Every structure is written in C-alpha cells, then in structure tokens.
Amino acid sequence: RYIFSKGDCIRNFFEYVDWVPKKIDFIDDVLKNLSDVGEFCDENKIGYVGIEYLESQYVNSHIPFSNNLGKIQMDCLMKKSIWLKDEEANKILLDS
C-alpha cells in the first residue's frame, strides 16, 4: 500500500526540518503504522503515545491528498513559519 513506512516518513520529515521533538502523539487507523512510528520513537528516544482510531472504518473518512498542496504548505512553513490551510494553499496552486 505504501512505498515507505510511516516511521520512515516521520524520520525524513524531521531530517528535512532539522528538528527532533521530545514527544510524538500519533493517531492512525492502521496498527502497523502505529508500530512503525513507535519503533522510530524508541530508536530515537522520543516519547510516544500511539492511538488506534477505529471510527474511520464506520464513516466515509477518505481525505484526498495532493503532493503539490503539501509542498506549498511545507515550503511556507519552512520559509515563514506559517502553516497554510488547504484552501489557502489551493488558491496559490490555482493562481500559479
């Protein structure tokens, strides 16, 4: 399903932003993802709370994801320390 584990994604994100948190609270509906992030936290001595969220199995919880939208949000966060809402990032994406 995924090319990279959630633990690898989080590892790469923290390397990208050059920061390591003291604690991660992680919510997911897939137990393997919780385990992957927990292992990453153990390896890096980061406090960890993993919560398995099962309600998404009972509701239509699909959230579309756009790599371009995420890039715009991350670029803004890194350059201006501001997180853009999806609507704001979409406007930038559509205007470009």
Side-chain angles (χ1 to χ4, degrees):
R1 185 172 155 184
Y2 297 107
I3 296 173
F4 301 102
S5 73
K6 292 277 177 113
D8 288 338
C9 291
I10 289 174
R11 174 182 289 105
N12 289 325
F13 171 76
F14 289 132
E15 287 174 4
Y16 178 77
V17 298
D18 192 28
W19 178 74
V20 178
K22 294 179 183 172
K23 181 181 178 187
I24 294 176
D25 295 332
F26 185 70
I27 302 168
D28 204 296
D29 62 342
V30 178
L31 196 53
K32 172 80 171 113
N33 295 340
L34 291 162
S35 297
D36 288 342
V37 174
E39 288 173 16
F40 164 77
C41 290
D42 286 345
E43 292 167 5
N44 293 278
K45 301 193 179 9
I46 298 170
Y48 175 68
V49 173
I51 300 170
E52 185 178 16
Y53 179 75
L54 299 176
E55 188 64 26
S56 63
Q57 297 173 12
Y58 306 108
V59 296
N60 182 5
S61 65
H62 177 72
I63 300 170
F65 179 75
S66 164
N67 286 323
N68 293 333
L69 194 69
K71 179 165 179 12
I72 289 169
Q73 289 169 314
M74 282 302 301
D75 286 347
C76 185
L77 179 64
M78 296 305 296
K79 291 175 184 170
K80 300 179 182 177
S81 297
I82 297 170
W83 182 258
L84 296 175
K85 294 180 181 179
D86 288 355
E87 297 81 21
E88 297 167 317
N90 260 327
K91 183 173 181 346
I92 291 169
L93 191 60
L94 293 174
D95 290 345
S96 60

